[in-house]
Amino acid sequence: MSRQPNEPATMVLILTPWATEQDMQQLFQRIEDKGLDRVVYRAQVRTHIHVLGDLSGESETQWSAQPGVEQVYGLPKPYPMANKTHRRAHTRIPVGSQQLGSEDFVVIAGPCALESEEQGLEAARMMKGLGIEIMRASCFKPRTSPYSFQGLGVEGLHILSRIREATGILVETEVMDVRDVEIASELVDVVRVGARNMQNFDLLKEMSRIRTPVIVKRGASNSIKEFLLAAEYILQGNENVILCERGIRTFETGYRNTLDVGCVAVLKQETHLPVIVDPSHAAGNKTLVPALSLAGVAAGADGLIVEVHPHPSVALCDGDQALHRFQFENLMRDVRGVAAVLGRRTLPPLSTGFATPGPEPALSVPA
Amino acid sequence: MSRQPNEPATMVLILTPWATEQDMQQLFQRIEDKGLDRVVYRAQVRTHIHVLGDLSGESETQWSAQPGVEQVYGLPKPYPMANKTHRRAHTRIPVGSQQLGSEDFVVIAGPCALESEEQGLEAARMMKGLGIEIMRASCFKPRTSPYSFQGLGVEGLHILSRIREATGILVETEVMDVRDVEIASELVDVVRVGARNMQNFDLLKEMSRIRTPVIVKRGASNSIKEFLLAAEYILQGNENVILCERGIRTFETGYRNTLDVGCVAVLKQETHLPVIVDPSHAAGNKTLVPALSLAGVAAGADGLIVEVHPHPSVALCDGDQALHRFQFENLMRDVRGVAAVLGRRTLPPLSTGFATPGPEPALSVPA
Amino acid sequence: MSRQPNEPATMVLILTPWATEQDMQQLFQRIEDKGLDRVVYRAQVRTHIHVLGDLSGESETQWSAQPGVEQVYGLPKPYPMANKTHRRAHTRIPVGSQQLGSEDFVVIAGPCALESEEQGLEAARMMKGLGIEIMRASCFKPRTSPYSFQGLGVEGLHILSRIREATGILVETEVMDVRDVEIASELVDVVRVGARNMQNFDLLKEMSRIRTPVIVKRGASNSIKEFLLAAEYILQGNENVILCERGIRTFETGYRNTLDVGCVAVLKQETHLPVIVDPSHAAGNKTLVPALSLAGVAAGADGLIVEVHPHPSVALCDGDQALHRFQFENLMRDVRGVAAVLGRRTLPPLSTGFATPGPEPALSVPA
Amino acid sequence: MSRQPNEPATMVLILTPWATEQDMQQLFQRIEDKGLDRVVYRAQVRTHIHVLGDLSGESETQWSAQPGVEQVYGLPKPYPMANKTHRRAHTRIPVGSQQLGSEDFVVIAGPCALESEEQGLEAARMMKGLGIEIMRASCFKPRTSPYSFQGLGVEGLHILSRIREATGILVETEVMDVRDVEIASELVDVVRVGARNMQNFDLLKEMSRIRTPVIVKRGASNSIKEFLLAAEYILQGNENVILCERGIRTFETGYRNTLDVGCVAVLKQETHLPVIVDPSHAAGNKTLVPALSLAGVAAGADGLIVEVHPHPSVALCDGDQALHRFQFENLMRDVRGVAAVLGRRTLPPLSTGFATPGPEPALSVPA
């Protein structure tokens, strides 16, 4: 998948009312130097210059910096590889027995953080028992405070690999440091770029050098356009990019972040890449996770990544938002129902009727 | 439904590190004057005063303005009538043969604006044919620009009343001016407070003086708390309040507003009032309306209010976002499916299979 | 000042990659029907249609709703009367011995709310003593909660008029209800449209029917473009419009609203109307008011509107943000200094050296 | 500067109305296990538990995850080292002949990016001629698009070092990759953490291992609290932290970012660290840079970092926002004036009267 030339297009330069004749001559020269054509409309207040030809190398910034230019319009979308216009078939990424980006609806679930080999194994067995083929668990934790639990680090990657071997579950984990990308790509099945690193461009470049599928989480304040440009970085070398909407930062404080279902809908129009939703980090609170999960499915997502923990109340990280087993089972029942209405295939249902909150299983390790 | 006394509670005043002994004595006096009790913790840096008793008349602002006070915590929710704590049963509002706020899932649909009696009649017949019992259509248009179509005004209310008589459809419309509330409440079935008027408190007070059901749309930048406080104004006299989430203003420009499904989920936890979703104004673009509608259903809304127009391309207002008939039919099929999964009752399905885009019906009036 | 015709301009329609030949023929017909010309560029993926002629009646919404149209560019600014392009001289509005919009820097100050005739008189005398020629004081309070102090209402307008007579101070106050505009315009010197009413279009229309100067406060979540369109409503009949930046709603919770000094700078480029800054409502906290005031002066504002109260700790409204007399005196010293650096004239300085916090004057009425 | 123990404090747990007796017993046990004390208030609807003792190891997240807990209040500020409460003296950082954080007002200026040794040398000489002691110039460019100029990389650091040697100017540059921190700290005088990397915690940790002063730019959507927590990471080992406000992302599109002068004012109250303002990235447009710069000075910043370029129209990066020489000279005249009013010392003025826009100097290299 090499980069294709951009489409020819028209760029429109709208001049300020105070643009001088000299400004205009310099613009004409610049247009000519680049082998482009022009058509000029002189309106009463503002002059418009239409520039025609191969504009694939042009950027708005360069043109709007020219003296006399007020606005620049009409350049093509800046993410040619991620854009659906250039690749109409959906990208499909195998995950266990399913394919992300097809009619399959894929659920990734597990604890926020890997806390120990025991906790990881217990979680993996619980996930397997619930029909989940791929478990999330972070070894490196991007923590806002330097005084919070920071994760098990590289040793955690080795633990995940052993859990994978012992249970047959696939594993997904975040990588934060450029120096850990290569080893992670060898030890786990899917790597993740966290929301806070969506514009850590050195990390994105490292991700373009591996072949392991990469989940890119949308930065909490990044636009859809910036999100697709982050994907574009990885697509320079690695086709296996999965986009994950996880809530944006707004003025509302009634929950942690605003899950942006409109982003899911726009992405499904704009790109061929698979799109999943993380309801747990958007909610920040387990009571909201079911509603947000179902909203994500209904908005057209190709999958979910949900936090579930065998013992939420002793979780070292984000225990607020991790579902109990019975909550997850009830959620999955509804997810399967909604997905089916929309023509999506999920893994076979495991139970019928409502799950009920039995006691948390006894801990084998002290909390 | 008279206002109930607030629960007793504890308020915590956290003092600044620089609060003086005199500040503290003044606070003690103020607490005593109000007949409240106190417990004081003197910590190394900040002193905390816990205030106990009937705090129903206290406001954070009053206390945080006192010299020496840094923060005020713990006052009860400021919307006692809207709060679920004080009324555990859901408010149910009859709309045609359904009840908003029950297991019924209610769909209100119709054109953005009432443009003429002919257009209104045509729309009403189309809605009836699609199984819709209540039609939206605005007579007064809150337009950002003074040069845009401003609506038919009070004459439009009379037209709606005639359409109602002629077709048997119920009608819903926005009221903007305090002077029009009474007449509107006589001529239509449901009145609406638009997003831009959510904090037009004189209008809210007029709405509390009628008994007609009122849809209050969330302001594009209003918090959930402010939304419930707007409802609280109307609840002073009118119990029939319906909350409508319609998208909030964020940094994202890939669509018009960010539909806040988290708000729907929080409201269903926080209040006994019915909650509906307006996907059309959030999207600003008809291609996104289906995904946002379904996300709203899945997040737990009790209904939808959707823009549909017999001839979207000649609509005088918001033609971008109005669905064509066939698009609405396809959407309704999915809405019914998702609602059923979640145990909601919709009006009986009207068709099976996909609707296809026939030609727009010929216009009886010139565009 | 009648509405001037818009400038001729070019509009560009960018078609979707899937636009059909029929879509295009319909667009050509529509362009022809309106007496406009066209130039068509057929690019590899998207076709661009350039439309020329008198576009003053066209709106983006109408054109983007046409089948086959993806984007619409190039229409002129939608606020011809507020725009500097159409009136290069600054609008100047006399306020006492100064002119808002000239080199004069005007300070309006006073309590948030008028609480009683005594409080109002005391405040007016304090303002006069500090060299302030115009006092703010609200009679109608837009309160988020129905349980908060709602103001003295129309009786307050009469009190303000008597205070004006007794002391010679000019008075400024907010009007919320369309039914109060006329009486207010007779009793006070400057009326105000509050931030929550910036898009209460019926109120804006009433304001266009009076000749009294109107301060329009920017809605906490309204864009600069919407702000200028609100002014455009009033300018249809009333030239005396003053724009007031008062902070916008963002994700930040470290203060109440984010004072947008960039808005001040953009407005000074974009419009001929005077621009003032309200630091008190942005801050929500008196300790931040001096820094925000000075930032407003430095960013190029033509004036300030600041809350000062003779007894902040017993204020019925927003006591948190009202300055004490000595704080205001110190602030004014710095304001005069910064304004002078930028070539602005302020009223003569009243004192030299720092004011110190004497005891609050004894209250003549019980708190 | 080792971490000091947090102050003792009170934490308040507010229980849900549905908390069970068992939930409460588990909470009591947990409190006891940690050696803390409790006081319990049983209100009609909600019970409040006040927890007393050494809370320095407690986090809100841990407690709010416990069954039955609705809200957690009162824990101390989570950034003990950055907080002014724990260090009342201002941190002062020497930059050339001035001290950031003292009464000195420090201006850092230069091009957005280092483009070549020639361009860097020309810029350095221009800065020296304007009385600037420290030049900004980025070698690594965090570019939203993979197709934009990415900077000269590590070779750029060596060029900066040679320019430093040749001209005597100090140099400041951004570091993005953890692998470049050490070499950068050897070759330049001040390193910068860009806004997009404010929560790249591995990078922050590397910054804590050097002694070179570090400018941390606020993420465009990060709160003041998160900003101080990012500083807290670096303060674990490196005291020389400078905070830089550079505009936040809001709904407004009239400029690039909203310069948050309120953040400057809050930081000056909350922390002992120096605070500077970057008006260029907030504006995104050179015409707004003067107003934003002066607003920053007036709001209480300790310095500015401004983009100036010998030839803005051929800049490879952000030419829109770089000032011409004459614009910068005029700005500096006003900056010195405003700073003097506020009692700040700037480097001696270089010229009197207005600078005028001579022709751009001829380029020695082709554009």
Side-chain angles (χ1 to χ4, degrees), chain B residues 16 28 43 51 54 79-80 91 99 103-104 122 153 177 185 188 192 194 198 207 239 264 282 303 311:
Chain B
T16 64
F28 291 169
V51 184
D54 177 6
Y79 37 81
T91 291
Q99 289 211 313
E103 310 82 67
D104 293 342
E122 184 180 5
D177 191 317
S185 79
V188 305
R192 189 194 323 141
M198 196 203 86
M207 292 291 177
E239 287 194 4
V264 175
H311 313 279

Side-chain angles (χ1 to χ4, degrees), chain B residues 132-144:
Chain B
I132 298 301
E133 294 185 340
I134 175 161
M135 178 173 80
R136 60 152 292 146
S138 299
C139 304
F140 308 96
K141 294 301 309 167
R143 302 305 293 265
T144 304

Side-chain angles (χ1 to χ4, degrees), chain B residues 143 147 221 226 233 249, chain C residues 143 221 226 232-233 249:
Chain B
R143 302 305 293 265
Y147 308 119
S221 298
E226 290 165 343
Y233 264 94
R249 180 164 274 193
Chain C
R143 302 306 294 266
S221 298
E226 291 165 343
E232 194 80 6
Y233 264 94
R249 181 165 274 193

